[in-house]
Structures are given as structure tokens and as C-alpha cells.
Amino acid sequence: MTATDTPPAGAASASPPRLAHHRESRWYPYALIAPTMITLTVVALIPFLYMGYISLHEARYGQLRDFIWFQNFATLLADPRFWNSMWVALVFVCIAVPIEFMLGLIGALLLSQKIRFRNVLIPLLFIPSMMAPIIVGLVWKTMLAGSWGFVSYNILENFGILKETSIFASPDLALYGIIFVDIWEWTPFMMLTFFAGMQALPVNPYWAAAVDGANPVQIFFKLTLPMLAPLLFVIGLLRLIDAFKVYDTIFILTNGGPGTATESPSVLGYKYTFDFWNIGQSSALAVVIWLIFFIFCNIFYQVAKKRLNVF
Amino acid sequence: MKTVISSPLRDVRASASALAVGAALYGAAVTPAAAWSYKEAAEPYKGTTISILDEVTPLQEIFATIIPQFTEETGIKVNYQLLNHFEVINRGQADMLSGRGEYDAVMAHGVQYGLLLDAGVIEPIDDMMADAALMNPDLDLDDLISPAFESLSKFDGKLYGFLLWNYNMVYWARQDLLGNDAEKAAFEEKYGYPLAPATTLSELYDISEFFTRSAGETLAGETLADDFYGIVLEGINGGTTYAPLWYVFIRNLGGNIFDEAGVPTFDTPEVIEGLKQWSALWKFAPPGQAEYSLIDVPTVMGNGIAAQTIAWSDFVLGIDQPGASALSGSFLYAAPPGTGDGTYSSAGEPSAYVISSASKNPEATFLFFQWAIDKMTQKTFLSGGIGVPIRDSSWDQLITPDNRLAPLYEAMKGSLEGVTAAPKAPRMLEILDVFNRNAQQVGLGQMTPEEGAKAMQAGVSAICNPCFLQ
């Protein structure tokens, strides 16, 4: 070894071993995740546990009163309004999310082609998802408000499509109106996320498929869909959870009405909290919703992991 | 295409110059030596900052422009925050109930008093009123409009503030239609009495029916391009729909939703009749009525697609302004329809600032309360010709031959003679939720009035019975 081959003092002999020593320490992984865990504990776990604690109390006007065990839960589960809100959320999720998912996937496939003005289109597609939900609500109220909304008046009423009522004033239509607004708001987000996922797929399998003479349908179902599956499941799950919690647009467009036709669990929870000041009841509602999602997400995860091998 | 007005909140610049003159007059009037002055009373609190949460309406936007006068005179700074109706209720209550004390005072609607009193989070002002150093001896509380003031602020022998915002509802109709000769003749021929602003509920129904026309029919000599509606009312779930329904329809028919002890009485024949008469008007209203809030109703009137309404007078002020609606100047106003014999109940929501128990500056806040309702402040506030009086002595300032809106103020005056605050029920907001939700379903035809009344009675009885604060 020549003098020039000699590593600088300490370069190879001191630092790497010290680093390696740290890495081998049993505390090293915990140290790395500690900031995240501390943050999550402070902003999520402690409030959640406190919420669970409140749900076991008579809590009105922001004041914690008697410990009442599970009475808030019993009252909640016996309330037809709670079950109505769960039904509203179920209908909302079962219609909105699959449509957003399918339209998003189709849109992403179209974007993947070399279509004209793609570079202009992509930023424009971000607009609905970038708008605050309250603004989305106001925009669609201006469009669909009975008798004076731009679309209501110029199209629905003038062409006799909807003259006797308006979308958000009709108990039969209001929920579908809200679903339409949600699809408008979130489909572009799904589209762009799926598009980004498609751009990251490896090209070799596609070349191989082309050599083997696979047609576009076969390529989509045998290559694109399986390779995208982890992304599709994660985005689908997140969107599903988010859709179940829908609040802002309902608050602006119908406030849960007509009657309780669009009263989602989040809207009901808001009323329990800020209209009725029954914090115990609203905490019980939040715990029940969490429990539903905890069970659902676990089942979803296990199915995806074992049967579809996506995680 | 119809004109769409995005919001009834209007430009208050027109009144700014008048306010400047008023402010100058105010300064001149309060400066002369007197036995008691805000300046002297505020000396110990000079430099203090008080936080006040209020509701944003055209009235508060004007009021905000004169608050610097208070600071200039007393040295007490005012952090004056404005939020919308629902936010001021939610945020204000959250602040007081949590004891956080971000606000020294919050504007409280009549429907909130029961909850706030029950929770013990607002302070009576009697002790400060008894303090000669703090209390303006010339405040003249007898001049505050009652029964609104008395029913709002007094409870259990104590006073919890001064009437400040006198929200009330008025009958609002199209003068150009009700005054049209051809329409008048046709109306009289059909109903057997002259066409005039409705003074009874049956007249309200007749006018609604008469003016409901389809596109292609004529209205005041012109062929309609669009459908026209005889009436528009607030109908949204969770809004203030209860106000006209309860006070105008139910009470003028001799009913009430509580008895004197606070026991719910939603299923009485009078309440059912009120629901019947109210819901019968929905067929003459625009198709979107179930989604109309207190903002949509004036918007619809301003767009010119309905003949009449019962609406909050402060929002009327936003529409009957040059530039705000093409129909400005074509409206007429009156007190809401009553029994027809001169005695009636009218819809309103008297409101006032209340001092939070968590306030660290109750004395400085109390001085601000007094200044806000002081005759000179009110004179300045109303000097632009826009406002809702809280003092009987203020009517003379507004009902003048040269005030374009004098007929509106006549209507407000009539309305306020019949306005009382909501009873003090701790769970009033829950009660109104039951009331509104079921009433809306009656209006939409999903329930009969009898079914609606039964559902209301059951729903409210499950919440409280009796419901008033004892």
C-alpha cells in the first residue's frame, strides 16, 4: 500500500465502526421513530383516550359530570337518528367512492396516452381538490340553489327537468346532489394519483407483453392492474374513510336536511357537540365510528395482504 | 335571466359620511362638563383591551365604524370580532362554557340565555349598576324597547345585559304589484275585499294564492317569462325557520309551544292549526324553499320572483338599497300579519352582549355596554338612516319624511310592539332542532301537521319536561 492509498486518519477506522455500533444498538430503531411516536401520542393518542374517557361521563356544556359507564353508548345506539346517519354515510360511501374510483382509473388511463394539452390539463385537474370543501359547497349552492342557482334556473327549471322542487330541497334528491358534488371534487384527485402511480410502473413487463402480442385489454388486466394494486387499495381505503366523514359540503348545502335526509355521522356529531353541547354523547359517537373503522380497516388489510398479496 | 345577488350584506359606505357627521356631533355633545362621564369612569381602566364577539350583519358593520369613538374617549381598546350567526353562537358559547375567557363579552341571542344561565357562565351586571362610579345615571333604561328588553335580559331578579340588537321580522311585499290597479281589481273580484298588505294569516294565504302564476301568464300587465311565486319563507333545517312559525302562525292563532310552566304543548289544536296554515303556503313558494335560509329569502325577494315574505328586517336593509336590487324602492313593509284585531305576536330575536364569567375586565366591558346603548351613541349609529332601534326615542330619528326607508321603520316599530325574547330553556337549541326538523318535513308534505305536532311533542318531551329554567 502506498502512502496515497492510506485512508485519512479516522476516516475508515473510527467513524464507520462508531456508526455501526449505534446501528447495532437495540435502542437505535426506537430513537429513529421516537419523534413520530411522541408527536402521534400527543396529537392523536392522548386526545383519543381522553375522548373515550369523556364518552363514559355525563358531559354537558363542556363540564364533566357523573361517571355513567356506557349510558351514552346505549342512548346513542337506541337513537334512530344515529342509525339514519349511518345509513346516509353508507349510501354516500357506496355510491361516491366506487364512481370516483372508476372514473379516476379511466381518467388516469386516458392521461397515460399521449393526449394533446396534457400538460395544461393536469394542473387544471387539481383545482377541485385544492379548493376548501366550504368553498366547494358555496360554489355548488350558487349553481344548484332552488330558483336562483345558475344551473337550477337555466337548465333544470327552464327545460322542465326539475320544476316542482330543487335538488337540495328534495328529501329524495338531496343526498344524490351531495354525492354528485363529492364526485366532482374528488375524482380528479383519484385520477391524478392513479396517473402518478402508472408513471412509476416499470416498462420492461410492457415490452415483454408487446413482444408476446398482448392486446391493450390484456395488458391492463394482467399487468397494469396487478402492479397498481397496492396503490389502488391504499388510495381506495383512504378515500373511503374520508368519504364516510363527509361534513363541510353537507353543512353548507343542506345542514343535514331536508329533515335528516343528508345528516351524516359527522354532521350529527357537530350538532351533538355545538348545538346541543352534549359532549358525552358526541364522544360516544366518535368512539363508535372509530371502532367501526378499526374493525373494517383490519379486515380490509388482512384480505388485501393474504388474498391479494398487495402489502 | 334573473339577477342573482350573492349576498344581502351590503356596502355601508353610503352611510359612512353621515356617520362622520354624527361622530362629530357626538364628540361635541359628550364633551361638556357633566357630573358623570365615560372618560372619568374609565380612568382606572385606561389602556385595557376588551374583546367583544358579535354577529356580522349590516348593523354590526356600521357599529364597528363608530367603536373607535369609545376608545378615543375612554382609552379602553376594543378588539371587536364579527362572525356569522351560527359561528357566533358556537364559538361564543364554546369560549364561555370552557371558561377560556378569550372574549370578555359575547353577543347572545335570546335562545341561548337558558343554556348560559344554567351553566352559570354569564355574570349579572346589577353590582356594577349599583356602583355610582361605573353607572351612567342618565342611561335611561326605561327608554329601551320592551317587552323585548325586559323579556331578554331579566331573570330571577337580576339583569344580564342591555338590549342591543333588536332583530325582528317584518312583512315585506312588492308595492308595484299590490298597488297595481288591474291586480287590485282582479283580487277584489276574486276574494271580495281590497288588495292590501296582509294583516291576518288568511289574507296572507289569499295574496299568496293570487300572485302565484306560471310562465306565460300576465302579472301587472306583463307576460311572465318565468314562474312567479306568491310567497317565500325560510325553510331550511337548522335555520331560524322557527321564528315566524312559532311567533306569527302559532301564537297569533292562540297557541304556544310551551305552557307557562315550560311543559311542551306542541300537539295542541292551536299549534296544529299554525302548522297547517304555515305549510299550506309552501305550494305558493319557490321549489327550493326547503333549502332557503335567512339569507336566501331576501335574495329571492331582491331577484323579483316572489310577491311577499316575512323576513328579518336587518336583511331587508341589505336588499332595498340602490344598486343591491333592481326592485329597490318598489317594496312595501308592515308588521307581520296578526290576529287582525290589533293585538298580535311578532317574530323577533332580541339579543345583547353578556359578560363572560371568565372575563378579566368586567368593569371596562360594562362601560362599553353602557356606551353602546347610550342615546348619543345610538343617535350616531342611526345617523346614516340605517339600523334597528333599541330605544323608543330613536323612532323619531328614523321615521322622517326624507328617509326613504321610513315605511320599513314604521313596520319595525309595529313588529317590535309584539316581540318578546324566547323563554329561558337550557336546552332550547335542541328543542328548536326538533321543531325545525319536523316542521320542514310538514312543509315538504312528508308529514301531516298532526303527525308533525305529535313528533315534535314526543321529541321535545324526551329532551325536557318542563323545559324552562327554574
Side-chain angles (χ1 to χ4, degrees):
Chain A
M1 179 183 279
T2 64
T4 50
D5 292 329
T6 308
S13 59
S15 295
R18 195 155 48 224
L19 191 60
H21 170 74
H22 282 302
R23 281 178 182 159
E24 283 163 15
S25 160
R26 56 188 294 215
W27 297 108
Y28 187 70
Y30 298 103
L32 286 179
I33 62 167
T36 305
M37 295 309 292
I38 290 168
T39 306
L40 282 175
T41 302
V42 171
V43 305
L45 186 61
I46 292 174
F48 175 76
L49 292 175
Y50 186 58
M51 184 182 71
Y53 177 74
I54 293 173
S55 72
L56 302 173
H57 287 77
E58 165 78 15
R60 282 192 176 274
Y61 311 153
Q63 297 158 357
L64 217 54
R65 298 178 180 177
D66 300 335
F67 183 79
I68 54 172
W69 288 101
F70 296 99
Q71 199 175 310
N72 282 323
F73 292 90
T75 307
L76 182 76
L77 297 176
D79 187 353
R81 210 167 164 181
F82 164 73
W83 292 108
N84 172 75
S85 75
M86 297 304 287
W87 174 249
V88 166
L90 193 65
V91 171
F92 185 87
V93 166
C94 287
I95 296 177
V97 176
I99 292 177
E100 289 162 11
F101 196 91
M102 294 310 294
L103 290 179
L105 201 53
I106 292 167
L109 284 170
L110 291 174
L111 282 178
S112 296
Q113 313 304 310
K114 293 198 181 309
I115 56 170
R116 294 176 69 186
F117 306 117
R118 192 172 75 173
N119 291 343
V120 178
L121 193 61
I122 287 173
L124 290 177
L125 284 171
F126 272 114
I127 292 175
S129 310
M130 285 167 65
M131 289 166 75
I134 290 289
I135 304 298
V136 172
L138 288 172
V139 166
W140 283 101
K141 183 172 175 68
T142 311
M143 303 288 268
L144 295 175
S147 302
W148 62 269
F150 185 79
V151 173
S152 293
Y153 173 71
N154 288 300
I155 299 172
L156 300 180
E157 285 184 35
N158 264 0
F159 289 98
I161 299 167
L162 198 63
K163 280 184 80 81
E164 300 303 317
T165 183
S166 70
I167 290 175
F168 297 125
S170 162
D172 299 326
L173 297 176
L175 183 57
Y176 300 104
I178 305 251
I179 288 171
F180 170 79
V181 173
D182 196 77
I183 291 170
W184 176 87
E185 185 182 4
W186 290 108
T187 297
F189 170 78
M190 303 283 263
M191 190 186 296
L192 291 167
T193 312
F194 294 157
F195 171 67
M198 286 176 187
Q199 298 306 298
L201 295 179
V203 281
N204 288 353
Y206 288 92
W207 288 342
V211 169
D212 290 344
N215 64 37
V217 176
Q218 286 173 317
I219 290 174
F220 176 72
F221 282 106
K222 301 287 183 184
L223 281 181
T224 308
L225 214 49
M227 286 196 290
L228 266 185
L231 177 76
L232 297 180
F233 273 92
V234 170
I235 296 298
L237 180 63
L238 290 177
R239 182 70 207 111
L240 196 141
I241 294 170
D242 198 45
F244 193 90
K245 297 187 296 184
V246 61
Y247 167 75
D248 319 61
T249 43
I250 294 178
F251 181 74
I252 291 293
L253 292 168
T254 62
N255 196 27
T260 51
T262 60
E263 194 171 73
S264 69
S266 297
V267 172
L268 183 61
Y270 177 88
K271 287 181 180 175
Y272 279 149
T273 309
F274 292 108
D275 286 351
F276 310 159
W277 283 95
N278 192 342
I279 315 289
Q281 187 87 334
S282 59
S283 297
L285 174 65
V287 170
V288 168
I289 292 172
W290 172 82
L291 202 58
I292 289 169
F293 274 105
F294 181 76
I295 295 168
F296 174 79
C297 289
N298 267 295
I299 294 171
F300 193 89
Y301 176 76
Q302 293 302 333
V303 168
K305 189 178 174 186
K306 289 178 182 169
R307 296 202 173 183
L308 303 167
N309 197 29
V310 294
F311 291 109
Chain B
M1 188 183 151
K2 296 169 201 174
T3 308
V4 174
I5 298 169
S6 60
S7 161
L9 299 182
R10 82 282 318 160
D11 187 351
V12 295
R13 281 173 294 185
S15 58
S17 57
L19 283 176
V21 174
L25 287 172
Y26 172 83
V30 296
T31 306
W36 188 95
S37 73
Y38 289 105
K39 186 177 182 179
E40 198 175 315
E43 195 57 39
Y45 316 106
K46 205 172 179 177
T48 304
T49 299
I50 58 172
S51 289
I52 309 287
L53 178 63
D54 207 335
E55 176 174 296
V56 61
T57 81
L59 308 181
Q60 279 85 346
E61 287 180 332
I62 296 171
F63 188 61
T65 66
I66 59 172
I67 287 179
Q69 293 291 320
F70 173 74
T71 302
E72 193 177 313
E73 187 177 355
T74 62
I76 297 169
K77 295 169 194 156
V78 182
N79 173 19
Y80 188 61
Q81 291 184 28
L82 296 178
L83 295 174
N84 74 43
H85 173 80
F86 301 104
E87 280 296 300
V88 82
I89 291 177
N90 293 339
R91 190 163 176 176
Q93 283 188 179
D95 185 65
M96 289 187 282
L97 293 170
S98 68
R100 193 170 167 219
E102 185 183 340
Y103 302 107
D104 292 292
V106 173
M107 190 275 255
H109 300 76
V111 293
Q112 297 175 255
Y113 272 69
L115 185 152
L116 297 173
L117 286 165
D118 189 40
V121 295
I122 57 176
E123 289 298 306
I125 57 173
D126 301 83
D127 288 348
M128 289 186 282
M129 287 177 69
D131 185 341
L134 279 174
M135 181 68 193
N136 179 356
D138 299 320
L139 202 57
D140 192 8
L141 296 182
D142 292 338
D143 189 38
L144 291 177
I145 294 172
S146 272
F149 170 49
E150 297 272 335
S151 59
L152 174 74
S153 297
K154 288 185 179 171
F155 179 72
D156 201 20
K158 292 177 182 167
L159 197 64
Y160 285 86
F162 305 124
L163 176 70
L164 184 57
W165 303 119
N166 223 355
Y167 302 126
N168 62 86
M169 297 186 100
V170 293
Y171 174 78
W172 177 11
R174 291 274 298 274
Q175 169 73 62
D176 56 328
L177 301 182
L178 269 68
N180 181 276
D181 290 338
E183 298 292 352
K184 284 167 79 175
F187 183 91
E188 189 157 3
E189 188 183 343
K190 186 173 180 182
Y191 296 99
Y193 65 93
L195 178 59
T199 56
T200 65
L201 297 176
S202 62
E203 289 172 11
L204 187 73
Y205 182 91
D206 290 346
I207 296 170
S208 302
E209 181 184 55
F210 178 71
F211 279 112
T212 300
R213 317 262 169 102
S214 298
E217 292 185 61
T218 57
L219 179 71
E222 291 186 16
T223 304
L224 285 167
D226 307 298
D227 293 346
F228 189 81
Y229 305 97
I231 193 165
V232 57
L233 294 167
E234 191 180 335
I236 196 167
N237 180 17
T240 58
T241 306
Y242 67 89
L245 174 55
W246 177 4
Y247 289 102
V248 177
F249 286 84
I250 293 171
R251 290 188 67 172
N252 281 319
L253 288 164
N256 205 337
I257 60 175
F258 300 106
D259 68 12
E260 286 186 3
V263 174
T265 54
F266 286 85
D267 53 357
T268 59
E270 293 84 3
V271 174
I272 292 169
E273 183 58 27
L275 276 167
K276 262 183 197 165
Q277 295 204 17
W278 174 77
S279 60
L281 294 171
W282 279 53
K283 59 179 174 283
F284 307 126
Q289 179 159 285
E291 60 174 297
Y292 286 173
S293 69
L294 75 179
I295 293 176
D296 296 295
V297 169
T299 303
V300 166
M301 285 300 288
N303 287 347
I305 59 172
Q308 56 179 352
T309 184
I310 298 168
W312 295 101
S313 61
D314 49 319
F315 284 96
V316 175
L317 290 165
I319 296 296
D320 198 352
Q321 295 287 332
S325 166
L327 291 166
S328 174
S330 304
F331 297 118
L332 66 80
Y333 307 97
T339 55
D341 64 2
T343 59
Y344 60 92
S345 172
S346 181
E349 181 71 297
S351 307
Y353 294 145
V354 287
I355 296 183
S356 167
S357 295
S359 169
K360 293 177 183 63
N361 309 297
E363 294 85 4
T365 307
F366 177 66
L367 284 171
F368 180 71
F369 282 15
Q370 293 184 81
W371 175 86
I373 66 157
D374 192 286
K375 280 182 182 173
M376 285 310 301
T377 309
Q378 285 297 309
K379 194 173 180 181
T380 308
F381 171 59
L382 297 169
S383 61
I386 292 174
V388 178
I390 54 168
R391 288 183 169 275
D392 284 317
S393 58
S394 296
W395 294 117
D396 290 342
Q397 187 182 348
L398 294 166
I399 304 173
T400 59
D402 58 341
N403 187 351
R404 190 178 58 79
L405 293 170
L408 174 61
Y409 291 111
E410 288 276 15
M412 279 188 204
K413 188 178 178 185
S415 176
L416 284 168
E417 284 169 10
V419 166
T420 52
K424 290 169 178 60
R427 298 179 72 175
M428 183 58 88
L429 293 173
E430 281 176 83
I431 292 165
L432 295 182
D433 175 72
V434 174
F435 190 13
N436 273 332
R437 185 157 37 89
N438 288 291
Q440 189 192 43
Q441 288 175 288
V442 172
L444 285 165
Q446 290 183 295
M447 284 182 181
T448 63
E450 289 81 2
E451 288 168 343
K454 198 175 167 187
M456 289 176 188
Q457 179 70 12
V460 173
S461 298
I463 293 170
C464 53
N465 194 355
C467 295
F468 295 173
L469 198 58
Q470 302 299 315

